C-alpha cells in the first residue's frame, strides 16, 4: 500500500487579526448572522476599528473563508455609567473613545457563521480576547451580552427572571449560556442597550471576566495635569540671505530657543525655504521653484540633525519637493529620535497653481510621536473641515498648521478656521506663519502673520481658547503648554461633547483611497 497523502484531509483553521481587505467579507458575514435583526456595520466603522485599535479586532478563517469575527476596544470602565448603551460605550460604533491606558477590554461584537457553529469558533475568539487582556495586563473583559431567546419568554417572565433561569440552566440562551460557560459573570441588566435588537427586546446583560493575573500598577488612577505638551510656534522672518549656511543659522537659532524652553515641538512656517531663492539668480517663478527642490537633501539633513541635537520634535514648515517631474508642497515631521515623516499639501491655492504649478497630495495622515498622535495640515488645508475631522477620528490630539499668507484677510482665514477646528473636534491647534518680505522673489514679496496656539472653548481651557499668540508681523515666538489629559476629560465631561454628540446615523466623513 502506498503512503497516504494526509494533506488532502487537512482543513486549515486560523485565528488572526482582521485586515482592511477583510471588511467586505465581514459585512457579508454579518448579514448572514443577523438577517434583518440589527443595524449592520458600516464600512467606515470597521475601518475606524482597524485604524484605532487593530490588535483588538479578530477573525477566524476556515479554509481561507472568514467564519467568525469579533471587535473590541479598551476603556477605563470607572468613567462610564453602568447603565450605558452600546452607542455610548462604542462612540456610535466608531470606538474613537478607545483609551490605550484603560483598565478594561470591552467586547462590542461577536458573530459566527450559522453553518460553522459547534466548531468552537466563538470560544476561539473569546480566548483571543482573554490572551489580549493578559498581554496588556488589563483588569477585566466587559461586554454587553444579547439575550436573543428572551422574546420567546417575554410574555411569561421579566428579563431578570429570564436571566436567572438561564443561569440555573433551566433555559438555554445561545449567547448568555455561551458567555457563562466561558467564565463571564452577570453584573447587571441594561435596558435599551441595543434598541434594534428585537430578539432581546433591547435588553442586554452586562458581563465581566476577571483577569486573575492582573497586576495593579497603581492603587488608583490619578487624574492630574499628567500629559502637558509644550509647543514653540515660530513666527519666522523672511529676509535676504547669502547662502544656505545663513538659512541654517537662522533655523538653528529658533530651534535652540525652543529647546531652551523645554519644548516638545518647534513649529516652523510654510514655505520658509523659499528664503533660499533670495540668493538664486533664476527669476521665473516656476523655474525658481524647481531650483529650490535641489536643496531638499540639505534641508532634510539640517532639520534631522537639529531635532536630535536639541531634543525637540520639529515641524519643519514646508518645502517644495520634486517627485517624478511633479512639484509638491511637503511638510516634514522631524522627530527627536531621528525618524522622519511627511505630509503633502492636499489643497493647492490658485496662486500656487498659477505661479508654481504645484501638484496636490492624495492622503492626509496621522503621525505617532512621543507626545501622542498629531497631524499636519498645511495652510489652505485647515480651511477644509473634512480633513480635520478625518485626522481627529484617527486619533490626532494636536493639529499643526504651518502657513504663509500675504495679507490680513488670508491670515484670518487660517486663524479663524484653525480655532473652529479646535472647537468642533475638541483638539488643540497651532499655527506658524512667515513675516517680513523677500522683495526680489516673485510671489513671495510680502508676508502677514500672527502665529498662535488654540484650544477648545470650555471652562477647562483659557477664556478665549487661546494658549498664546505672537504680536502680528514681527519676528518672534510664542511658547505654550497644552494638556492631553485635560483634553481627554473634556471630551467625556465637558459642557458640550461635540465628538460624542455627532449624528453619525445621518452623516460621516470618509477618506477615499485613490490608489484603488
Amino acid at each position: 500500500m502506498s503512503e497516504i497523502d494526509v494533506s488532502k484531509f487537512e482543513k486549515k483553521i486560523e485565528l488572526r487579526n482582521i485586515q482592511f481587505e477583510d471588511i467586505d467579507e465581514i459585512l457579508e458575514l454579518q448579514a448572514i448572522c443577523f438577517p434583518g435583526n440589527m443595524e449592520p456595520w458600516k464600512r467606515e466603522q470597521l475601518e475606524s476599528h482597524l485604524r484605532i485599535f487593530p490588535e483588538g479586532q479578530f477573525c477566524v478563517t476556515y479554509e481561507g473563508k472568514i467564519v467568525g469575527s469579533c471587535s473590541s476596544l479598551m476603556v477605563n470602565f470607572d468613567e462610564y455609567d453602568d447603565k450605558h448603551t452600546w452607542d455610548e460605550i462604542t462612540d456610535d460604533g466608531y470606538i474613537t473613545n478607545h483609551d490605550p491606558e484603560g483598565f478594561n477590554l470591552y467586547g462590542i461584537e461577536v458573530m459566527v457563521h450559522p453553518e460553522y457553529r459547534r466548531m468552537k469558533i466563538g470560544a476561539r475568539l473569546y480566548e483571543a480576547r482573554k490572551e489580549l487582556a493578559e498581554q496588556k495586563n488589563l483588569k477585566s473583559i466587559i461586554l454587553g451580552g444579547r439575550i436573543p431567546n428572551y422574546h420567546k419568554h417575554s410574555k411569561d417572565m421579566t428579563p431578570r427572571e429570564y436571566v436567572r433561569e438561564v443561569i440555573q440552566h433551566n433555559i438555554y440562551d445561545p449567547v448568555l449560556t455561551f458567555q457563562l460557560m466561558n467564565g463571564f459573570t452577570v453584573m447587571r441588566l441594561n435596558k435599551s442597550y441595543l434598541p434594534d435588537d428585537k430578539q432581546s427586546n433591547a435588553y442586554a446583560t452586562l458581563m465581566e471576566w476577571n483577569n486573575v493575573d492582573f497586576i495593579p500598577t497603581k492603587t488608583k488612577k490619578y487624574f492630574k495635569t499628567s500629559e502637558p505638551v509644550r509647543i514653540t510656534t515660530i513666527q519666522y522672518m523672511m529676509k535676504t540671505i547669502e547662502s544656505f549656511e545663513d538659512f541654517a543659522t537662522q533655523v538653528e537659532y529658533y530651534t535652540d530657543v525652543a529647546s531652551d524652553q523645554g519644548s516638545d515641538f518647534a513649529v516652523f512656517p510654510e514655505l520658509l525655504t523659499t528664503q533660499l531663492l533670495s540668493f538664486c539668480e533664476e527669476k521665473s517663478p516656476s523655474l525658481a521653484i524647481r531650483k529650490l527642490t535641489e536643496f531638499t537633501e540639505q534641508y532634510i539633513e539640517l532639520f534631522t540633525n537639529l531635532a536630535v541635537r536639541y531634543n525637540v520634535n520639529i515641524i519643519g514648515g514646508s518645502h517644495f519637493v520634486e517627485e517624478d517631474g511633479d512639484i509638491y508642497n511637503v511638510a516634514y515631521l522631524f522627530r527627536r529620535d531621528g525618524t522622519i515623516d511627511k505630509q503633502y499639501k492636499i489643497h493647492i491655492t490658485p496662486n500656487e497653481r498659477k505661479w508654481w504649478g504645484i501638484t496636490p497630495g492624495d492622503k492626509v495622515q496621522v503621525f505617532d510621536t512621543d507626545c501622542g498622535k498629531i497631524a499636519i495640515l498645511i495652510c489652505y488645508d485647515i480651511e477644509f473641515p473634512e480633513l480635520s475631522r478625518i485626522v481627529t477620528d484617527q486619533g490626532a490630539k494636536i493639529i499643526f498648521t504651518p502657513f504663509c499668507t500675504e495679507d490680513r484677510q488670508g491670515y484670518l482665514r487660517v486663524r479663524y478656521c484653525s480655532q473652529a477646528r479646535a472647537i468642533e473636534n475638541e483638539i488643540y491647534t497651532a499655527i506658524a506663519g512667515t513675516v517680513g518680505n523677500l522683495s526680489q522673489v516673485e510671489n513671495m514679496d510680502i508676508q502677514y502673520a500672527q502665529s498662535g496656539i488654540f484650544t477648545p472653548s470650555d471652562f477647562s481651557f483659557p477664556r478665549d481658547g487661546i494658549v498664546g499668540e505672537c504680536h502680528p508681523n514681527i519676528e518672534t515666538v510664542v511658547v505654550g503648554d497644552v494638556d492631553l489629559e485635560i483634553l481627554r476629560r473634556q471630551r467625556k465631561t465637558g459642557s458640550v461633547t461635540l465628538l460624542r454628540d455627532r449624528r453619525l446615523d445621518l452623516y460621516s466623513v470618509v477618506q477615499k483611497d485613490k490608489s484603488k
Side-chain angles (χ1 to χ4, degrees):
M1 179 185 243
S2 60
E3 184 178 350
I4 296 175
D5 181 9
V6 297
S7 64
K8 65 183 179 181
F9 299 100
E10 291 178 342
K11 301 292 184 182
K12 185 177 181 182
I13 189 166
E14 179 185 13
L15 185 144
R16 60 172 173 82
N17 287 115
I18 295 171
Q19 308 296 322
F20 279 95
E21 54 266 29
D22 298 325
I23 290 178
D24 286 338
E25 197 171 348
I26 288 174
L27 292 173
E28 293 173 5
L29 176 64
Q30 187 177 46
I32 295 170
C33 293
F34 308 115
N37 183 44
M38 293 190 299
E39 184 178 344
W41 286 122
K42 300 173 184 174
R43 167 175 286 277
E44 53 264 32
Q45 290 172 320
L46 295 176
E47 289 175 346
S48 183
H49 299 177
L50 296 179
R51 285 194 301 265
I52 293 172
F53 187 38
E55 62 266 48
Q57 322 309 319
F58 297 101
C59 68
V60 173
T61 64
Y62 184 70
E63 292 294 278
K65 175 183 178 180
I66 295 178
V67 296
S69 74
C70 68
S71 302
S72 60
L73 71 155
M74 286 168 57
V75 298
N76 182 21
F77 193 66
D78 291 341
E79 298 172 6
Y80 291 85
D81 190 329
D82 285 351
K83 299 184 289 295
H84 63 270
T85 66
W86 187 88
D87 283 343
E88 290 169 345
I89 201 70
T90 68
D91 196 11
D92 293 320
Y94 289 82
I95 73 166
T96 52
N97 58 319
H98 167 72
D99 184 355
E101 297 182 358
F103 291 149
N104 315 94
L105 187 71
Y106 196 102
I108 60 175
E109 173 78 292
V110 172
M111 53 186 175
V112 177
H113 195 295
E115 296 178 8
Y116 296 86
R117 288 169 186 168
R118 308 290 181 184
M119 291 178 60
K120 304 292 185 183
I121 304 298
R124 295 170 194 265
L125 293 169
Y126 270 60
E127 285 303 310
R129 281 178 172 171
K130 292 175 183 178
E131 289 179 11
L132 181 63
E134 291 165 354
Q135 291 169 6
K136 290 187 170 292
N137 189 38
L138 301 181
K139 185 177 180 181
S140 69
I141 302 174
I142 297 173
L143 50 85
R146 301 174 59 235
I147 45 175
N149 277 0
Y150 175 60
H151 69 283
K152 301 176 182 179
H153 304 268
S154 58
K155 293 182 180 178
D156 304 318
M157 58 183 68
T158 66
R160 181 179 295 276
E161 291 170 338
Y162 174 80
V163 169
R164 184 169 61 245
E165 290 297 301
V166 175
I167 292 173
Q168 294 175 355
H169 302 286
N170 295 325
I171 295 176
Y172 172 79
D173 185 276
V175 175
L176 179 54
T177 300
F178 171 79
Q179 290 165 342
L180 292 169
M181 294 294 290
N182 277 274
F184 284 76
T185 57
V186 178
M187 300 167 65
R188 60 168 288 116
L189 262 170
N190 281 7
K191 186 178 181 180
S192 300
Y193 182 80
L194 272 170
D196 55 339
D197 183 5
K198 298 179 178 61
Q199 291 181 334
S200 306
N201 284 17
Y203 283 93
T205 54
L206 190 62
M207 311 283 288
E208 184 170 28
W209 172 84
N210 289 291
N211 177 14
V212 296
D213 294 321
F214 171 66
I215 301 174
T217 54
K218 296 180 180 178
T219 55
K220 66 178 291 189
K221 189 167 185 175
Y222 291 95
F223 293 100
K224 58 183 181 180
T225 307
S226 59
E227 291 189 78
V229 176
R230 181 159 296 174
I231 298 169
T232 293
T233 295
I234 297 154
Q235 195 155 281
Y236 188 89
M237 176 66 74
M238 300 291 272
K239 53 192 175 187
T240 300
I241 54 177
E242 301 295 331
S243 64
F244 186 89
E245 289 68 30
D246 288 348
F247 171 74
T249 298
Q250 188 173 347
V251 166
E252 182 171 2
Y253 167 76
Y254 282 115
T255 305
D256 190 9
V257 168
S259 179
D260 284 347
Q261 296 298 320
S263 299
D264 297 294
F265 290 95
V267 191
F268 285 89
E270 180 189 27
L271 303 185
L272 82 162
T273 57
T274 56
Q275 187 180 24
L276 299 171
L277 295 178
S278 61
F279 61 82
C280 292
E281 296 182 0
E282 180 58 62
K283 298 303 179 183
S284 167
S286 59
L287 295 179
I289 290 307
R290 291 191 177 273
K291 185 73 173 175
L292 184 61
T293 65
E294 297 174 8
F295 291 97
T296 298
E297 290 189 5
Q298 285 178 269
Y299 159 82
I300 293 173
E301 184 178 13
L302 168 64
F303 275 96
T304 301
N305 290 336
L306 292 176
V308 173
R309 271 176 47 215
Y310 287 95
N311 192 32
V312 58
N313 299 303
I314 300 176
I315 311 298
S318 79
H319 173 68
F320 288 127
V321 176
E322 182 176 0
E323 296 179 0
D324 298 323
D326 293 326
I327 306 294
Y328 296 90
N329 188 354
V330 181
Y332 285 85
L333 166 63
F334 301 94
R335 297 184 186 86
R336 50 187 160 196
D337 66 1
T339 59
I340 306 169
D341 263 310
K342 57 184 177 180
Q343 173 65 59
Y344 292 76
K345 190 172 185 178
I346 304 297
H347 298 92
I348 304 305
T349 64
N351 254 2
E352 287 175 291
R353 192 177 298 113
K354 173 184 176 182
W355 290 96
W356 298 322
I358 304 303
T359 300
D362 289 335
K363 184 178 181 181
V364 63
Q365 301 182 82
V366 167
F367 306 111
D368 288 309
T369 73
D370 54 9
C371 298
K373 293 182 182 293
I374 64 105
I376 306 170
L377 298 181
I378 306 170
C379 196
Y380 200 25
D381 285 342
I382 197 67
E383 299 175 28
F384 295 83
E386 296 88 350
L387 297 187
S388 296
R389 181 52 50 87
I390 288 169
V391 298
T392 299
D393 283 345
Q394 292 179 10
K397 300 299 189 299
I398 308 172
I399 295 177
F400 294 104
T401 297
F403 74 95
C404 176
T405 51
E406 62 185 19
D407 53 47
R408 181 171 170 80
Q409 287 79 8
Y411 151 70
L412 287 176
R413 287 195 295 270
V414 172
R415 163 68 176 259
Y416 291 153
C417 288
S418 183
Q419 289 192 270
R421 303 298 89 87
I423 292 169
E424 66 200 15
N425 293 294
E426 296 179 295
I427 55 173
Y428 297 115
T429 59
I431 63 175
T434 53
V435 296
N437 63 77
L438 293 174
S439 56
Q440 71 278 42
V441 178
E442 197 73 48
N443 201 39
M444 288 297 295
D445 42 1
I446 57 173
Q447 321 287 315
Y448 188 103
Q450 185 176 12
S451 307
I453 305 166
F454 310 117
T455 74
S457 183
D458 211 333
F459 296 112
S460 301
F461 304 104
R463 186 187 69 175
D464 297 322
I466 302 170
V467 173
E469 57 187 337
C470 298
H471 290 292
N473 276 356
I474 64 170
E475 184 176 20
T476 187
V477 303
V478 61
V479 182
D481 287 353
V482 297
D483 195 314
L484 302 185
E485 171 64 17
I486 291 176
L487 190 70
R488 188 190 66 81
R489 280 185 276 168
Q490 171 69 22
R491 289 181 170 186
K492 297 179 184 294
T493 61
S495 300
V496 292
T497 49
L498 289 100
L499 290 180
R500 182 176 293 182
D501 295 337
R502 290 176 294 170
R503 288 292 305 277
L504 295 176
D505 57 323
L506 295 179
Y507 55 81
S508 64
V509 178
V510 180
Q511 180 173 200
K512 297 180 179 179
D513 186 351
K514 287 196 67 176
S515 65
K516 294 182 179 179

